[in-house]
Amino acid sequence: MDYKLLIDQAIEMTARSYAPYSHFHVGAALLGKDGKIYTGCNVENAAYGPSNCAERTAVFKAVSEGCREFEAIAIAGGPEDDTGKPQIKDFCPPCGVCRQVLAEFCDKDFKILLTDGTGQIKEFTLGQLLPESFSLEK
Ligand code: THU
């Protein structure tokens, strides 16, 4: 799989983000080991707490469709401009909750690709971004 496609889809998904409270738009594209791409965006709520991040939207979509094994995720995000359009100008690393949700289904070598929208990519593994993670497995 060409990770450029995954990154492009993450950027495209920022346009689907529902973020009327933070005005910060995030898109994610998750590559399943079934070869399919599961996309997601952040979906906010007036009560704030029920809001969902882009990465978790993608994971929950995939799992609910029967895919539980993953190879990589691409993430893009940034604040909106005066017209409400997302601006991707910096890297958008996943929050702690999303890292933990990824750890439920992904190995330590799962790839996390971040883009700053200018063509620069930062690549991490889940093991790097969530070391010594909690798990019930022995
Ligand atoms: N957000 C994500 O979608 N993913 C992250 O990993 C970090 C934050 C969203 C949540 C909220 O809708 C907005 O970005 C501002 O925090």
Side-chain angles (χ1 to χ4, degrees):
M1 154 65 68
D2 175 9
Y3 289 138
K4 170 122 185 11
L5 178 64
L6 209 59
I7 289 158
D8 286 347
Q9 292 219 13
I11 294 170
E12 275 175 34
M13 284 305 292
T14 63
R16 296 258 177 95
S17 154
Y18 176 74
Y21 307 103
S22 74
H23 305 283
F24 193 92
H25 301 262
V26 185
L30 176 65
L31 177 60
K33 287 193 177 167
D34 60 1
K36 291 185 190 161
I37 294 176
Y38 298 90
T39 55
C41 63
N42 55 329
V43 182
E44 297 186 348
N45 186 276
Y48 292 17
S51 300
N52 204 45
C53 289
E55 300 89 323
R56 276 177 288 147
T57 302
V59 171
F60 297 154
K61 275 173 70 178
V63 172
S64 66
E65 290 184 22
C67 182
R68 293 183 182 174
E69 292 184 62
F70 305 105
E71 183 179 320
I73 192 169
I75 307 163
E80 66 192 25
D81 65 14
D82 293 343
T83 70
K85 196 169 172 284
Q87 299 298 294
I88 315 300
K89 289 186 175 161
D90 206 350
F91 299 101
C92 179
C95 79
V97 173
C98 288
R99 294 179 198 202
Q100 181 66 28
V101 167
L102 288 166
E104 185 72 22
F105 298 102
C106 306
D107 302 331
K108 290 197 180 322
D109 62 357
F110 172 81
K111 291 185 180 67
I112 298 173
L113 307 160
L114 310 180
T115 176
D116 68 352
T118 70
Q120 289 214 91
I121 306 298
K122 275 189 186 175
E123 182 175 328
F124 299 96
T125 64
L126 183 58
Q128 286 174 314
L129 294 192
L130 194 65
E132 304 297 333
S133 65
F134 176 75
S135 147
L136 293 178
E137 278 174 28
K138 295 244 163 75

